[in-house]
Amino acid sequence: MNKEWSELNKKMQTEIKKESTFCIGIETLSQLRKGLFEELHGFKKELDREDFNAIPFMNAEGYHNKTIAYSIWHIFRIEDIVTHTLISADDQIFFSENYQKRIGSPMITTGNELEKQQIADFSRVLDLDELYKYAEAVKVSTENILKNLSFADLKRKISDSDRERLISTKSVSDYEKANWLIDYWCGKDIRGLIQMPLSRHWIMHVEASLRIKDKICSANSAKPGKRR
């Protein structure tokens, strides 16, 4: 794990454990997320649109066996679901701002159910500009939600009604590779959700995407006439 990101993540987790440093911890989390988001935005400057659909590590074990487009989708669908459906109990940005149509996505889920070529095919149909707008909107919304949390809110458990609301949105696929997320999220309190997926989940997928990018750029540099 990137040392700077790892240290910020550890610092944030320590700070939000105490009421006296809770607000500082939220600022530390914002700093971490800002750096990670800048990495995601950098891909648009460095890569062609087709590169966002590439899976150079298709048969590998790990987060890097995806595409970059999928990874962006996955990070922010999960965050939208968790922050709005479970923490704020309101409408996901994906639905309220009609992002399924805007992005051109054939599905509304987190994408955990997709595998290998399905991930590449899914990535290919997405409107990348709208996907980035969605990511930005979710990021900003999440950070507004976090700033309005109190230290006492961190101990709030996800309730049965929260769970039913989550299921009713159909945002998590029934497929076994995806539906474990419901039990996973609903077994946490708000502090647990901040730690995963609102921070560590970002780190894992951004680092995987950087590995994908490096592989793509290396392959592209060997192609005559390909942008470097």
Side-chain angles (χ1 to χ4, degrees):
M1 183 180 291
N2 176 286
K3 185 176 180 180
E4 180 184 354
W5 299 339
S6 177
E7 289 302 316
L8 281 172
N9 191 42
K10 288 177 184 177
K11 183 173 183 287
M12 176 273 295
Q13 291 189 45
T14 299
E15 289 168 343
I16 66 172
K17 287 179 180 178
K18 297 179 181 179
E19 187 168 9
S20 61
T21 55
F22 167 68
C23 291
I24 297 171
I26 296 300
E27 288 301 318
T28 300
L29 176 57
S30 179
Q31 180 184 349
L32 169 63
R33 288 160 55 91
K34 181 176 183 288
L36 291 165
F37 201 71
E38 286 172 355
E39 292 288 351
L40 292 178
H41 257 292
F43 296 146
K44 288 192 80 175
K45 298 176 182 178
E46 299 176 68
L47 301 172
D48 293 328
R49 175 62 185 91
E50 65 189 49
D51 294 329
F52 283 82
N53 313 325
I55 315 183
F57 302 104
M58 182 180 285
N59 296 312
E61 292 294 327
Y63 292 97
H64 58 297
N65 65 1
K66 319 292 184 189
T67 70
I68 292 175
Y70 169 92
S71 298
I72 296 170
W73 168 274
H74 179 72
I75 291 168
F76 293 98
R77 277 304 289 130
I78 282 182
E79 180 156 314
D80 195 6
I81 293 163
V82 166
T83 55
H84 286 279
T85 301
L86 294 179
I87 296 178
S88 293
D90 57 13
D91 292 335
Q92 295 172 30
I93 289 173
F94 186 78
F95 297 124
S96 65
E97 298 188 19
N98 199 27
Y99 269 107
Q100 182 176 14
K101 182 177 180 180
R102 290 168 63 176
I103 296 171
S105 173
M107 65 185 198
I108 66 172
T109 61
T110 64
N112 286 70
E113 66 273 24
L114 301 181
E115 297 180 321
K116 298 186 177 183
Q117 190 58 43
Q118 292 174 322
I119 292 174
D121 293 341
F122 168 70
S123 301
R124 195 169 288 111
V125 303
L126 303 179
D127 184 312
L128 197 64
D129 289 335
E130 290 295 335
L131 178 60
Y132 268 94
K133 288 178 185 177
Y134 174 59
E136 176 80 33
V138 171
K139 175 183 177 292
V140 170
S141 176
T142 294
E143 288 163 8
N144 285 334
I145 289 169
L146 292 173
K147 286 176 183 177
N148 286 308
L149 288 177
S150 69
F151 179 73
D153 288 329
L154 298 190
K155 296 181 180 180
R156 177 167 66 82
K157 298 281 189 180
I158 302 303
S159 68
D160 289 342
S161 61
D162 294 329
R163 181 189 180 93
E164 289 306 311
R165 184 170 57 254
L166 170 60
I167 292 170
S168 73
T169 68
K170 301 187 184 300
S171 299
V172 178
S173 168
D174 291 334
Y175 187 53
E176 64 181 0
K177 284 196 172 228
N179 63 13
W180 62 271
L181 283 168
I182 295 173
D183 288 338
Y184 179 76
W185 294 333
C186 294
K188 293 183 175 293
D189 57 16
I190 302 304
R191 190 176 85 180
L193 293 176
I194 289 173
Q195 293 171 331
M196 184 74 168
L198 304 188
S199 53
R200 187 164 175 266
H201 190 243
W202 276 51
I203 295 172
M204 294 187 300
H205 280 285
V206 171
E207 287 194 327
S209 294
L210 286 167
R211 187 171 176 182
I212 295 167
K213 183 207 77 170
D214 288 345
K215 186 71 171 179
I216 291 168
C217 290
S218 177
N220 285 349
S221 67
K223 296 178 182 177
K226 186 71 175 180
R227 189 180 73 182
R228 291 170 172 79

